[in-house]
Amino acid sequence: MRYRMTFAVGMAVGYVLGSRAGRERYEQIRRSARRVADNPRVQEMAGVMGAQASKLAGMARTKMGDTLQQRIPFLGSHEHDTGTGWPDEDLADKKARESGIPY
């Protein structure tokens, strides 16, 4: 079903872009596409498909995250990262005290 829909959308886009029928035909196709897109059943199906895609993406993210955390140790750490690239102040102080080197 998904492939048929993709094929139909591709055909419609190709026809619109490659059409030599003129502006009237383009406007007619555009109005038809707008009616289909505004149809409540089509919007409902798009919402359902979006929810399913989101659910599948979440499952894939969880599965890949678990796999990557097992293979790459620092991905599984729960230390807070500020994202600046510099170590946190308290972490730097702790390491300085442990090593005896002030930097």
Side-chain angles (χ1 to χ4, degrees):
M1 179 70 182
R2 186 180 82 192
Y3 297 110
R4 289 182 191 168
M5 185 63 113
T6 304
F7 180 74
V9 169
M11 289 288 291
V13 168
Y15 182 79
V16 168
L17 294 177
S19 176
R20 296 185 186 264
R23 186 74 177 173
E24 303 86 31
R25 183 67 179 146
Y26 169 77
E27 291 296 331
Q28 182 185 14
I29 292 170
R30 194 170 135 217
R31 282 191 305 271
S32 298
R34 177 67 60 194
R35 276 196 307 265
V36 169
D38 290 341
N39 185 337
R41 289 185 67 198
V42 172
Q43 290 181 355
E44 180 183 347
M45 285 303 295
V48 168
M49 291 174 68
Q52 288 177 348
S54 178
K55 182 180 173 184
L56 289 173
M59 289 173 36
R61 186 180 319 116
T62 300
K63 185 170 181 130
M64 287 302 297
D66 292 344
T67 302
L68 288 175
Q69 286 176 0
Q70 291 171 358
R71 295 183 183 199
I72 304 173
F74 67 85
L75 289 178
S77 68
H78 296 290
E79 295 177 11
H80 178 69
D81 184 13
T82 60
T84 61
W86 295 95
D88 293 334
E89 296 275 334
D90 54 345
L91 183 61
D93 291 340
K94 180 181 172 188
K95 286 187 178 180
R97 283 190 305 271
E98 290 175 357
S99 68
I101 301 173
Y103 52 88

XYZ file of all heavy atoms in Angstrom:
801
model
N 0.822 -1.188 0.000
C 0.000 0.000 0.000
C 0.868 1.254 0.000
O 0.585 2.195 -0.704
C -0.911 -0.048 1.237
C -1.795 1.139 1.378
S -3.042 1.092 0.093
C -3.894 2.584 0.413
N 1.938 1.218 0.815
C 2.824 2.375 0.909
C 3.483 2.654 -0.445
O 3.626 3.807 -0.843
C 3.878 2.114 1.968
C 4.756 3.317 2.222
C 5.775 3.029 3.267
N 6.868 2.324 2.610
C 7.832 1.705 3.235
N 7.836 1.653 4.522
N 8.796 1.117 2.569
N 3.856 1.599 -1.147
C 4.530 1.780 -2.423
C 3.572 2.324 -3.475
O 3.962 3.124 -4.318
C 5.157 0.460 -2.875
C 6.214 -0.005 -1.913
C 6.015 -1.110 -1.110
C 7.413 0.685 -1.779
C 6.965 -1.534 -0.214
C 8.371 0.275 -0.881
C 8.151 -0.822 -0.103
O 9.095 -1.224 0.789
N 2.322 1.914 -3.411
C 1.336 2.432 -4.351
C 1.123 3.921 -4.133
O 1.029 4.687 -5.090
C 0.001 1.699 -4.183
C 0.023 0.283 -4.674
C -1.320 -0.341 -4.508
N -1.236 -1.779 -4.727
C -2.189 -2.619 -4.440
N -3.318 -2.184 -3.911
N -2.039 -3.902 -4.666
N 1.031 4.304 -2.862
C 0.821 5.718 -2.539
C 2.025 6.540 -2.988
O 1.866 7.607 -3.577
C 0.585 5.882 -1.039
C 0.255 7.292 -0.666
S -1.260 7.810 -1.433
C -2.255 7.959 -0.002
N 3.214 6.046 -2.728
C 4.428 6.747 -3.155
C 4.476 6.868 -4.668
O 4.821 7.926 -5.204
C 5.676 6.006 -2.643
O 5.579 5.873 -1.236
C 6.946 6.740 -3.000
N 4.099 5.799 -5.342
C 4.094 5.809 -6.800
C 3.083 6.831 -7.321
O 3.371 7.601 -8.245
C 3.763 4.413 -7.337
C 3.739 4.334 -8.832
C 4.914 4.355 -9.555
C 2.537 4.243 -9.510
C 4.903 4.282 -10.933
C 2.516 4.187 -10.890
C 3.697 4.203 -11.606
N 1.885 6.859 -6.733
C 0.844 7.788 -7.172
C 1.286 9.236 -6.944
O 1.091 10.099 -7.816
C -0.463 7.512 -6.439
N 1.893 9.506 -5.796
C 2.374 10.860 -5.513
C 3.481 11.231 -6.491
O 3.512 12.345 -7.024
C 2.857 10.974 -4.051
C 3.605 12.269 -3.821
C 1.682 10.862 -3.101
N 4.362 10.304 -6.779
C 5.434 10.552 -7.737
C 4.901 10.826 -9.133
O 5.387 11.720 -9.829
N 3.901 10.081 -9.510
C 3.281 10.305 -10.826
C 2.641 11.690 -10.888
O 2.776 12.400 -11.883
C 2.223 9.234 -11.108
C 2.792 7.863 -11.390
S 3.581 7.766 -12.998
C 2.154 7.894 -14.059
N 1.936 12.065 -9.830
C 1.270 13.369 -9.810
C 2.290 14.502 -9.880
O 2.125 15.455 -10.650
C 0.406 13.510 -8.565
N 3.346 14.389 -9.095
C 4.383 15.428 -9.102
C 5.061 15.483 -10.461
O 5.285 16.569 -11.010
C 5.411 15.166 -7.975
C 6.638 16.052 -8.132
C 4.771 15.379 -6.621
N 5.370 14.336 -11.011
C 5.998 14.293 -12.330
C 5.114 14.888 -13.408
O 5.589 15.614 -14.292
N 3.845 14.618 -13.329
C 2.931 15.158 -14.325
C 2.838 16.670 -14.197
O 2.871 17.397 -15.193
C 1.536 14.538 -14.194
C 0.584 15.054 -15.241
C 0.619 14.566 -16.539
C -0.320 16.060 -14.928
C -0.233 15.052 -17.498
C -1.183 16.557 -15.888
C -1.134 16.051 -17.174
O -1.976 16.538 -18.131
N 2.737 17.151 -12.961
C 2.629 18.599 -12.756
C 3.891 19.297 -13.241
O 3.824 20.317 -13.922
C 2.356 18.915 -11.267
C 2.532 20.394 -10.990
C 0.962 18.477 -10.879
N 5.048 18.740 -12.894
C 6.301 19.378 -13.292
C 6.569 19.257 -14.791
O 7.163 20.148 -15.386
C 7.462 18.782 -12.500
C 7.447 19.068 -10.997
C 8.611 18.361 -10.316
C 7.479 20.555 -10.718
N 6.135 18.165 -15.376
C 6.431 17.944 -16.784
C 5.292 18.287 -17.728
O 5.409 18.122 -18.943
N 4.213 18.753 -17.183
C 3.033 19.010 -17.996
C 3.216 20.216 -18.915
O 3.778 21.222 -18.539
C 1.827 19.251 -17.086
O 0.713 19.584 -17.867
N 2.683 20.079 -20.110
C 2.678 21.197 -21.052
C 1.241 21.661 -21.288
O 0.958 22.372 -22.231
C 3.311 20.785 -22.368
C 4.765 20.428 -22.235
C 5.345 20.152 -23.608
N 6.705 19.675 -23.490
C 7.758 20.458 -23.598
N 7.618 21.732 -23.801
N 8.964 19.967 -23.490
N 0.347 21.229 -20.394
C -1.059 21.541 -20.567
C -1.392 22.986 -20.224
O -2.472 23.457 -20.528
C -1.908 20.605 -19.703
N -0.486 23.657 -19.557
C -0.717 25.060 -19.269
C -1.179 25.318 -17.857
O -1.329 24.414 -17.039
N -1.387 26.565 -17.585
C -1.724 27.025 -16.256
C -3.074 26.503 -15.783
O -3.242 26.174 -14.608
C -1.716 28.561 -16.242
C -1.898 29.174 -14.902
C -0.639 29.014 -14.109
N -0.775 29.675 -12.823
C 0.104 29.590 -11.875
N 1.203 28.892 -12.069
N -0.070 30.197 -10.747
N -4.043 26.380 -16.675
C -5.376 25.916 -16.279
C -5.320 24.499 -15.717
O -5.912 24.200 -14.684
C -6.361 25.959 -17.457
C -6.518 27.310 -18.114
C -5.464 27.550 -19.183
O -5.011 26.571 -19.829
O -5.073 28.709 -19.349
N -4.620 23.628 -16.404
C -4.505 22.239 -15.952
C -3.743 22.170 -14.629
O -4.108 21.406 -13.738
C -3.808 21.397 -17.020
C -3.698 19.948 -16.683
C -5.052 19.271 -16.660
N -4.886 17.855 -16.357
C -5.741 17.154 -15.671
N -6.856 17.688 -15.265
N -5.510 15.895 -15.420
N -2.710 22.981 -14.511
C -1.943 23.033 -13.267
C -2.848 23.445 -12.104
O -2.823 22.837 -11.039
C -0.776 24.011 -13.411
C -0.101 24.331 -12.108
C 0.769 23.428 -11.520
C -0.355 25.535 -11.453
C 1.386 23.716 -10.304
C 0.249 25.826 -10.248
C 1.112 24.921 -9.675
O 1.708 25.205 -8.480
N -3.651 24.480 -12.302
C -4.557 24.942 -11.258
C -5.601 23.890 -10.916
O -5.959 23.703 -9.753
C -5.239 26.253 -11.671
C -4.309 27.439 -11.733
C -3.716 27.794 -10.390
O -4.359 27.551 -9.347
O -2.586 28.322 -10.373
N -6.084 23.166 -11.929
C -7.055 22.097 -11.693
C -6.439 20.986 -10.833
O -7.060 20.513 -9.873
C -7.547 21.524 -13.023
C -8.582 20.438 -12.875
C -8.951 19.816 -14.219
O -8.252 20.012 -15.215
N -10.040 19.076 -14.233
N -5.230 20.588 -11.151
C -4.543 19.548 -10.379
C -4.281 20.051 -8.959
O -4.470 19.317 -7.994
C -3.222 19.150 -11.071
C -3.523 18.434 -12.385
C -2.373 18.271 -10.157
C -2.307 18.223 -13.251
N -3.901 21.298 -8.837
C -3.631 21.867 -7.516
C -4.890 21.911 -6.653
O -4.848 21.582 -5.465
C -3.054 23.267 -7.695
C -2.438 23.806 -6.443
C -1.679 25.077 -6.702
N -2.062 25.982 -5.625
C -2.238 27.269 -5.743
N -2.061 27.849 -6.901
N -2.578 27.997 -4.720
N -6.011 22.280 -7.248
C -7.275 22.279 -6.501
C -7.650 20.874 -6.062
O -8.093 20.653 -4.931
C -8.399 22.886 -7.344
C -8.382 24.395 -7.405
C -9.666 24.939 -8.018
N -9.961 24.385 -9.336
C -9.534 24.885 -10.493
N -8.779 25.970 -10.504
N -9.851 24.322 -11.638
N -7.468 19.895 -6.946
C -7.778 18.506 -6.601
C -6.883 18.013 -5.468
O -7.353 17.357 -4.537
C -7.594 17.596 -7.817
O -8.486 17.961 -8.845
N -5.621 18.321 -5.534
C -4.687 17.914 -4.490
C -5.049 18.572 -3.163
O -4.982 17.940 -2.098
C -3.254 18.273 -4.888
N -5.461 19.822 -3.204
C -5.858 20.530 -1.979
C -7.103 19.885 -1.371
O -7.190 19.730 -0.163
C -6.125 22.006 -2.305
C -6.614 22.829 -1.155
C -5.605 23.018 -0.070
N -4.446 23.686 -0.611
C -3.288 23.761 0.023
N -3.146 23.225 1.205
N -2.273 24.366 -0.526
N -8.069 19.493 -2.221
C -9.275 18.826 -1.715
C -8.925 17.506 -1.043
O -9.458 17.165 0.008
C -10.273 18.584 -2.850
C -11.153 19.768 -3.148
C -12.355 19.354 -3.979
N -12.001 18.630 -5.179
C -11.859 19.175 -6.384
N -12.040 20.463 -6.555
N -11.538 18.433 -7.423
N -8.024 16.757 -1.651
C -7.612 15.481 -1.064
C -6.890 15.725 0.257
O -7.159 15.055 1.251
C -6.713 14.693 -2.051
C -6.072 13.505 -1.362
C -7.523 14.237 -3.255
N -5.976 16.683 0.274
C -5.207 16.960 1.490
C -6.097 17.487 2.614
O -5.821 17.237 3.790
C -4.095 17.959 1.186
N -7.153 18.190 2.289
C -8.052 18.744 3.299
C -9.118 17.755 3.757
O -9.864 18.053 4.687
C -8.731 20.008 2.777
C -7.763 21.167 2.653
O -6.694 21.107 3.300
O -8.076 22.121 1.925
N -9.192 16.606 3.128
C -10.179 15.595 3.488
C -9.875 15.072 4.898
O -8.746 14.679 5.190
C -10.116 14.447 2.481
C -11.186 13.408 2.697
O -11.725 13.265 3.784
N -11.487 12.675 1.642
N -10.874 15.056 5.793
C -10.635 14.601 7.170
C -10.115 13.157 7.260
O -9.280 12.856 8.111
C -12.007 14.711 7.839
C -12.770 15.679 7.008
C -12.239 15.556 5.622
N -10.571 12.290 6.376
C -10.090 10.899 6.405
C -8.606 10.838 6.052
O -7.846 10.069 6.654
C -10.895 10.032 5.446
C -12.312 9.780 5.945
C -13.062 8.834 5.060
N -12.453 7.505 5.149
C -12.655 6.548 4.248
N -13.427 6.756 3.209
N -12.082 5.380 4.393
N -8.193 11.631 5.076
C -6.783 11.655 4.687
C -5.941 12.215 5.832
O -4.874 11.683 6.154
C -6.590 12.479 3.397
C -5.109 12.686 3.099
C -7.275 11.800 2.223
N -6.418 13.268 6.475
C -5.682 13.840 7.600
C -5.601 12.859 8.760
O -4.572 12.758 9.424
C -6.341 15.141 8.042
C -6.157 16.251 7.042
C -6.784 17.556 7.485
O -7.455 17.609 8.516
N -6.560 18.598 6.714
N -6.693 12.121 8.994
C -6.686 11.120 10.065
C -5.660 10.028 9.770
O -4.884 9.643 10.640
C -8.079 10.513 10.214
C -8.177 9.466 11.292
C -9.564 8.832 11.360
O -10.497 9.358 10.749
O -9.670 7.798 12.033
N -5.653 9.547 8.531
C -4.688 8.508 8.159
C -3.251 9.033 8.255
O -2.357 8.315 8.682
C -4.956 7.994 6.739
C -6.156 7.078 6.642
S -6.032 5.634 7.720
C -4.650 4.793 7.001
N -3.046 10.282 7.867
C -1.709 10.867 7.977
C -1.288 10.938 9.448
O -0.129 10.675 9.780
C -1.679 12.256 7.349
N -2.228 11.266 10.322
C -1.921 11.304 11.752
C -1.581 9.932 12.293
O -0.635 9.771 13.073
N -2.345 8.923 11.869
C -2.086 7.550 12.315
C -0.725 7.085 11.815
O 0.066 6.517 12.575
C -3.207 6.600 11.829
C -2.816 5.150 12.020
C -4.512 6.913 12.545
N -0.437 7.360 10.552
C 0.851 6.946 9.990
C 2.003 7.678 10.672
O 3.060 7.104 10.926
C 0.868 7.176 8.484
C -0.072 6.241 7.737
S -0.203 6.599 5.988
C 1.412 6.150 5.423
N 1.806 8.955 10.987
C 2.830 9.716 11.698
C 3.085 9.152 13.085
O 4.226 9.064 13.529
N 2.000 8.772 13.776
C 2.149 8.185 15.112
C 2.879 6.850 15.042
O 3.738 6.554 15.882
C 0.789 8.015 15.763
N 2.543 6.033 14.046
C 3.218 4.745 13.883
C 4.695 4.949 13.564
O 5.558 4.245 14.102
C 2.545 3.924 12.796
C 1.202 3.372 13.200
C 0.521 2.612 12.077
O 0.931 2.671 10.919
N -0.537 1.892 12.411
N 4.986 5.912 12.695
C 6.382 6.186 12.357
C 7.150 6.666 13.584
O 8.297 6.266 13.807
C 6.456 7.227 11.241
N 6.511 7.506 14.379
C 7.152 7.999 15.596
C 7.415 6.856 16.572
O 8.482 6.784 17.189
C 6.264 9.054 16.247
O 6.830 9.512 17.432
N 6.451 5.960 16.698
C 6.607 4.810 17.595
C 7.752 3.916 17.125
O 8.592 3.492 17.924
C 5.300 4.020 17.637
C 5.328 2.830 18.564
C 3.984 2.114 18.548
C 4.037 0.828 19.341
N 2.774 0.095 19.259
N 7.794 3.642 15.826
C 8.864 2.801 15.284
C 10.228 3.474 15.441
O 11.225 2.809 15.751
C 8.596 2.485 13.817
C 7.453 1.518 13.553
C 7.176 1.410 12.057
C 7.754 0.147 14.140
N 10.274 4.786 15.237
C 11.539 5.508 15.401
C 11.996 5.454 16.852
O 13.185 5.297 17.124
C 11.383 6.956 14.940
N 11.068 5.570 17.782
C 11.418 5.476 19.194
C 11.951 4.098 19.552
O 12.925 3.976 20.296
N 11.308 3.065 19.018
C 11.779 1.702 19.281
C 13.171 1.495 18.697
O 14.044 0.907 19.341
C 10.790 0.687 18.698
C 9.494 0.620 19.468
S 8.186 -0.398 18.739
C 9.014 -1.753 17.997
N 13.390 1.998 17.475
C 14.702 1.851 16.842
C 15.752 2.628 17.626
O 16.872 2.145 17.826
C 14.654 2.341 15.399
N 15.397 3.840 18.081
C 16.335 4.646 18.852
C 16.710 3.936 20.148
O 17.872 3.900 20.540
C 15.717 6.004 19.160
C 16.667 6.964 19.821
C 16.046 8.323 20.143
N 15.190 8.841 19.109
C 13.881 9.056 19.255
N 13.287 8.797 20.392
N 13.170 9.546 18.263
N 15.719 3.353 20.810
C 15.980 2.638 22.057
C 16.880 1.440 21.811
O 17.858 1.220 22.521
C 14.655 2.179 22.689
O 13.855 3.320 22.946
C 14.896 1.429 23.983
N 16.548 0.673 20.770
C 17.333 -0.528 20.481
C 18.767 -0.168 20.088
O 19.720 -0.764 20.580
C 16.665 -1.335 19.378
C 17.352 -2.638 19.110
C 16.556 -3.523 18.190
C 17.279 -4.814 17.983
N 16.463 -5.967 18.200
N 18.907 0.829 19.218
C 20.247 1.231 18.796
C 21.012 1.863 19.953
O 22.207 1.668 20.102
C 20.171 2.219 17.624
C 19.775 1.572 16.322
S 20.892 0.251 15.827
C 22.402 1.140 15.600
N 20.312 2.628 20.781
C 20.970 3.247 21.937
C 21.499 2.200 22.886
O 22.618 2.315 23.390
N 20.689 1.179 23.164
C 21.142 0.110 24.052
C 22.356 -0.599 23.466
O 23.327 -0.874 24.167
C 20.018 -0.894 24.304
C 18.877 -0.303 25.121
O 19.084 0.763 25.731
O 17.792 -0.915 25.128
N 22.311 -0.885 22.181
C 23.412 -1.568 21.521
C 24.672 -0.704 21.547
O 25.763 -1.187 21.857
C 23.052 -1.896 20.063
O 21.882 -2.708 20.058
C 24.164 -2.638 19.367
N 24.521 0.584 21.245
C 25.684 1.466 21.232
C 26.246 1.666 22.636
O 27.455 1.764 22.808
C 25.321 2.817 20.612
C 25.096 2.794 19.102
C 24.622 4.161 18.628
C 26.342 2.389 18.363
N 25.383 1.732 23.654
C 25.882 1.904 25.018
C 26.679 0.689 25.468
O 27.606 0.829 26.259
C 24.717 2.149 25.975
C 24.143 3.538 25.843
C 22.937 3.747 26.724
O 22.529 2.849 27.446
N 22.357 4.927 26.653
N 26.338 -0.472 24.965
C 27.098 -1.670 25.314
C 28.460 -1.665 24.625
O 29.443 -2.143 25.171
C 26.329 -2.926 24.919
C 25.093 -3.154 25.753
C 24.247 -4.287 25.204
O 24.569 -4.879 24.177
N 23.155 -4.593 25.893
N 28.521 -1.126 23.410
C 29.765 -1.163 22.640
C 30.661 0.047 22.856
O 31.871 -0.047 22.689
C 29.444 -1.300 21.156
C 28.791 -2.622 20.848
C 28.553 -2.795 19.395
N 27.859 -4.066 19.181
C 27.813 -4.675 18.046
N 28.388 -4.158 16.990
N 27.168 -5.811 17.920
N 30.067 1.196 23.185
C 30.842 2.419 23.389
C 30.576 2.888 24.812
O 29.519 3.442 25.096
C 30.441 3.505 22.369
C 30.598 2.966 20.942
C 31.285 4.755 22.570
C 30.072 3.894 19.878
N 31.518 2.689 25.714
C 31.277 2.903 27.142
C 30.831 4.310 27.518
O 29.964 4.478 28.349
C 32.613 2.581 27.794
C 33.366 1.800 26.795
C 32.849 2.191 25.455
N 31.398 5.367 26.914
C 31.073 6.714 27.366
C 29.647 7.128 27.002
O 29.119 8.074 27.566
C 32.077 7.749 26.852
C 32.040 7.959 25.365
C 31.133 8.841 24.808
C 32.924 7.302 24.542
C 31.105 9.055 23.443
C 32.904 7.507 23.186
C 31.989 8.383 22.630
N 28.991 6.418 26.090
C 27.603 6.744 25.771
C 26.671 6.355 26.902
O 25.602 6.930 27.049
C 27.163 6.048 24.482
C 27.767 6.587 23.197
C 27.288 5.770 22.015
C 27.425 8.043 23.000
N 27.065 5.386 27.703
C 26.222 4.934 28.798
C 26.449 5.681 30.086
O 25.749 5.464 31.056
N 27.422 6.584 30.109
C 27.699 7.302 31.361
C 26.577 8.286 31.645
O 25.974 8.837 30.742
C 29.034 8.026 31.274
O 28.949 9.079 30.341
N 26.341 8.489 32.925
C 25.257 9.378 33.331
C 25.789 10.702 33.851
O 25.101 11.400 34.575
C 24.391 8.692 34.394
C 23.701 7.471 33.859
N 22.688 7.546 32.946
C 23.914 6.157 34.099
C 22.280 6.317 32.651
N 23.014 5.460 33.341
N 27.029 11.044 33.535
C 27.591 12.311 33.953
C 26.916 13.435 33.165
O 26.598 13.286 31.999
C 29.095 12.337 33.695
C 29.864 11.328 34.518
C 31.347 11.333 34.165
O 31.782 12.254 33.452
O 32.040 10.423 34.599
N 26.733 14.561 33.827
C 26.105 15.699 33.183
C 27.105 16.377 32.259
O 28.212 16.716 32.668
C 25.589 16.686 34.231
C 24.983 17.906 33.629
N 23.798 17.858 32.934
C 25.396 19.186 33.607
C 23.505 19.071 32.514
N 24.463 19.898 32.916
N 26.708 16.604 31.023
C 27.563 17.261 30.048
C 26.960 18.627 29.731
O 25.795 18.723 29.347
C 27.664 16.426 28.782
C 28.618 17.015 27.754
O 29.385 17.925 28.110
O 28.577 16.568 26.600
N 27.747 19.687 29.885
C 27.245 21.028 29.604
C 27.264 21.333 28.122
O 26.644 22.292 27.682
C 28.088 22.082 30.350
O 29.441 21.987 29.908
C 27.995 21.883 31.850
N 27.984 20.541 27.343
C 28.033 20.743 25.904
C 29.005 21.816 25.460
O 29.056 22.170 24.300
N 29.799 22.365 26.394
C 30.740 23.421 26.034
C 32.073 22.879 25.563
O 32.847 23.598 24.949
C 30.998 24.352 27.241
O 31.575 23.581 28.289
C 29.714 25.008 27.707
N 32.347 21.637 25.856
C 33.636 21.065 25.508
C 34.648 21.181 26.632
O 35.708 20.586 26.583
N 34.343 21.976 27.649
C 35.205 22.144 28.814
C 34.660 21.308 29.953
O 33.455 21.185 30.115
C 35.251 23.611 29.235
C 35.886 24.485 28.222
C 35.257 25.195 27.254
C 37.274 24.703 28.049
N 36.156 25.856 26.486
C 37.411 25.574 26.951
C 38.410 24.265 28.700
C 38.654 26.009 26.503
C 39.635 24.704 28.247
C 39.760 25.565 27.169
N 35.551 20.754 30.768
C 35.051 19.968 31.901
C 34.338 20.859 32.907
O 34.620 22.053 33.014
C 36.311 19.347 32.499
C 37.436 20.158 31.982
C 36.994 20.762 30.685
N 33.408 20.278 33.650
C 32.711 21.018 34.696
C 33.706 21.449 35.759
O 34.721 20.803 35.995
C 31.626 20.148 35.341
C 30.504 19.834 34.381
O 30.292 20.643 33.447
O 29.846 18.795 34.563
N 33.398 22.559 36.425
C 34.285 23.109 37.456
C 34.563 22.092 38.559
O 35.704 21.862 38.923
C 33.663 24.371 38.057
C 33.505 25.512 37.091
C 34.763 26.340 36.975
O 35.546 26.359 37.931
O 34.952 26.947 35.916
N 33.502 21.479 39.093
C 33.697 20.554 40.207
C 34.468 19.312 39.774
O 35.265 18.780 40.529
C 32.357 20.170 40.838
C 31.361 19.626 39.827
O 31.583 19.808 38.618
O 30.366 19.015 40.247
N 34.264 18.869 38.546
C 34.992 17.713 38.036
C 36.473 18.049 37.878
O 37.341 17.261 38.244
C 34.404 17.259 36.699
C 35.012 16.020 36.071
C 34.834 14.809 36.983
C 34.386 15.753 34.722
N 36.770 19.253 37.377
C 38.165 19.670 37.216
C 38.840 19.805 38.578
O 39.994 19.406 38.750
C 38.233 20.985 36.445
N 38.141 20.372 39.570
C 38.699 20.506 40.923
C 38.969 19.144 41.541
O 39.992 18.933 42.190
C 37.757 21.313 41.824
C 37.686 22.772 41.403
O 38.614 23.238 40.698
O 36.690 23.431 41.768
N 38.045 18.221 41.328
C 38.194 16.876 41.883
C 39.428 16.184 41.287
O 40.224 15.590 41.995
C 36.934 16.061 41.599
C 36.978 14.647 42.122
C 35.705 13.904 41.770
C 35.827 12.444 42.114
N 34.703 11.666 41.627
N 39.589 16.302 39.973
C 40.744 15.677 39.325
C 42.049 16.339 39.775
O 43.073 15.675 39.925
C 40.590 15.743 37.807
C 39.559 14.777 37.287
C 39.528 14.738 35.781
C 38.504 13.722 35.312
N 38.438 13.638 33.878
N 42.011 17.653 39.994
C 43.218 18.358 40.460
C 43.606 17.890 41.847
O 44.781 17.710 42.140
C 42.979 19.856 40.436
N 42.633 17.701 42.717
C 42.919 17.222 44.074
C 43.472 15.798 44.038
O 44.377 15.451 44.779
C 41.663 17.268 44.926
C 41.279 18.650 45.411
C 40.183 18.592 46.446
N 38.992 17.888 46.008
C 37.958 18.446 45.375
N 37.960 19.732 45.123
N 36.919 17.720 45.020
N 42.919 14.950 43.148
C 43.358 13.558 43.082
C 44.773 13.447 42.537
O 45.567 12.661 43.014
C 42.403 12.746 42.203
C 41.044 12.518 42.812
C 40.093 11.821 41.856
O 40.470 11.563 40.697
O 38.963 11.553 42.264
N 45.084 14.249 41.522
C 46.388 14.124 40.878
C 47.456 15.024 41.480
O 48.639 14.774 41.292
C 46.261 14.428 39.374
O 45.948 15.783 39.193
N 47.034 16.088 42.160
C 47.989 17.020 42.723
C 48.415 18.071 41.715
O 49.167 18.988 42.039
N 47.967 17.976 40.498
C 48.292 18.969 39.462
C 47.122 19.951 39.389
O 45.982 19.548 39.214
C 48.495 18.290 38.080
C 49.638 17.274 38.181
C 48.762 19.348 37.009
C 49.804 16.444 36.939
N 47.393 21.272 39.533
C 46.296 22.251 39.639
C 45.551 22.510 38.333
O 44.664 23.341 38.305
C 46.985 23.501 40.142
C 48.386 23.376 39.710
C 48.691 21.905 39.712
N 45.862 21.903 37.272
C 45.167 22.155 36.021
C 44.788 20.887 35.332
O 45.171 19.825 35.627
C 45.983 23.032 35.069
C 47.392 22.548 34.826
C 47.650 21.638 33.819
C 48.447 22.993 35.601
C 48.938 21.187 33.600
C 49.712 22.565 35.368
C 49.964 21.658 34.371
O 51.230 21.224 34.144
